[in-house]
Amino acid sequence: MTTTPQGHEDRTGTGYIRDHETHPPLDFPGYRSTALRHPKRPLQLLPHLLTEVTGPLLGEGRLGELDHDLTRQHEGEPQGQRIIVHGQVRDSDGQPVPHSLIEIWQANAGGRYRHTVDNWPCPLDPNFSGVGRTITDSDGRYRFVTVRPGAYPWKNHDNAWRPAHIHFSLFGRAFTQRLVTQMYFPGDPLFFQDPMWNSIPDEKARERMLCRFDYENTEPEWALAFEWDIVLRGREATPFESEVDDD
């Protein structure tokens, strides 16, 4: 086991450093499915070949005109409160991270995903797919227009409901360079029983997953605004998930 100057430990012997105070453990008893999916053998560091770290390039040419606006991807208007979600992606030194591909996915305003295994009795919205993407600009800034997602039930524990959230996936210059996290809304009454939220050991780190209401960027008669900055590393790092999950 090695320790970095910041106190982050390599418990795998591979050179992989994980901040155990900020990021959730790979196996968290409160989140039942991690018992089935967490690694049960020591991690192995696999070297990346040139083709894996140099391509495909994630440039603006791969984006559609309305990929960033989830409210205009269909002919009709989606149901729910229209919102703007914007912010900046920064590194551990506080410098902006430009030209990074960001993808989001979320439930609709009623709390249902457009997914074959999501069949709880809440109607799908024919005018909302719940998926968007954009690339940060030269200052590391991004902007999405969407609808505020609803809470939804899941079967992790008795009377389990997930707080409203939006999934974020951030890419570097290749698909092997990817981080996944979730953005939550302030004041949600369901935090107390959500294992994903509570799996973050440090309370201050949890708060970095909360967006803030941004009245100045609210557009009159159109959309409320929320700001959420994402920090990739360092003391102010945004907690990231250990695996991709549709929940």
Side-chain angles (χ1 to χ4, degrees), residues 188-220:
D188 197 302
L190 294 172
F191 286 144
F192 78 98
Q193 53 85 71
D194 184 63
M196 295 189 200
W197 171 266
N198 291 299
S199 68
I200 307 299
D202 184 67
E203 184 175 350
K204 291 184 178 179
R206 271 181 240 156
E207 292 175 355
R208 294 198 288 271
M209 295 193 296
L210 289 172
C211 63
R212 72 171 186 87
F213 176 62
D214 182 7
Y215 183 74
E216 292 183 359
N217 282 289
T218 291
E219 296 189 6

Side-chain angles (χ1 to χ4, degrees), residues 64-85:
E65 181 182 359
L66 298 177
D67 282 1
H68 72 289
D69 190 340
L70 285 67
T71 69
R72 295 196 295 145
Q73 295 173 353
H74 299 272
E75 291 185 5
E77 291 282 342
Q79 296 292 316
Q81 172 67 63
R82 191 183 293 106
I83 61 173
I84 297 165
V85 178

Side-chain angles (χ1 to χ4, degrees), residues 12-222:
T12 67
T14 64
Y16 168 72
I17 304 299
R18 184 176 181 85
D19 185 346
H20 295 277
E21 294 182 359
T22 299
H23 302 299
L26 299 177
D27 183 19
F28 185 69
Y31 184 12
R32 295 192 315 187
S33 63
T34 60
L36 303 174
R37 294 183 292 186
H38 81 279
K40 295 180 174 60
R41 291 184 292 179
L43 300 180
Q44 299 293 321
L45 186 63
L46 300 178
H48 291 156
L49 302 178
L50 184 64
T51 54
E52 294 176 303
V53 298
T54 59
L57 294 181
L58 308 174
E60 295 182 2
R62 294 178 178 268
L63 295 179
E65 181 182 359
L66 298 177
D67 282 1
H68 72 289
D69 190 340
L70 285 67
T71 69
R72 295 196 295 145
Q73 295 173 353
H74 299 272
E75 291 185 5
E77 291 282 342
Q79 296 292 316
Q81 172 67 63
R82 191 183 293 106
I83 61 173
I84 297 165
V85 178
H86 72 102
Q88 185 182 45
V89 181
R90 300 192 299 271
D91 63 18
S92 57
D93 295 324
Q95 298 300 310
V97 179
H99 315 305
S100 177
L101 175 66
I102 301 179
E103 295 181 340
I104 64 171
W105 65 98
Q106 65 170 91
N108 64 22
R112 185 172 175 182
Y113 287 97
R114 188 180 286 261
H115 193 287
T116 55
V117 299
D118 190 350
N119 55 11
W120 81 283
C122 172
L124 288 172
D125 187 338
N127 295 310
F128 188 76
S129 298
V131 178
R133 58 193 218 154
T134 190
I135 288 183
T136 58
D137 64 15
S138 59
D139 293 322
R141 299 193 176 278
Y142 71 90
R143 183 178 184 272
F144 288 101
V145 182
T146 183
V147 298
R148 183 161 177 158
Y152 58 84
W154 62 315
K155 299 179 180 180
N156 183 75
H157 52 275
D158 182 54
N159 196 19
W161 290 79
R162 292 253 31 232
H165 61 278
I166 298 177
H167 296 267
F168 276 70
S169 170
L170 292 88
F171 290 91
R173 299 305 295 169
F175 283 119
T176 56
Q177 302 167 338
R178 186 187 185 197
L179 293 171
V180 179
T181 187
Q182 297 182 28
M183 184 198 82
Y184 295 86
F185 295 86
D188 197 302
L190 294 172
F191 286 144
F192 78 98
Q193 53 85 71
D194 184 63
M196 295 189 200
W197 171 266
N198 291 299
S199 68
I200 307 299
D202 184 67
E203 184 175 350
K204 291 184 178 179
R206 271 181 240 156
E207 292 175 355
R208 294 198 288 271
M209 295 193 296
L210 289 172
C211 63
R212 72 171 186 87
F213 176 62
D214 182 7
Y215 183 74
E216 292 183 359
N217 282 289
T218 291
E219 296 189 6
E221 302 179 20
W222 181 250

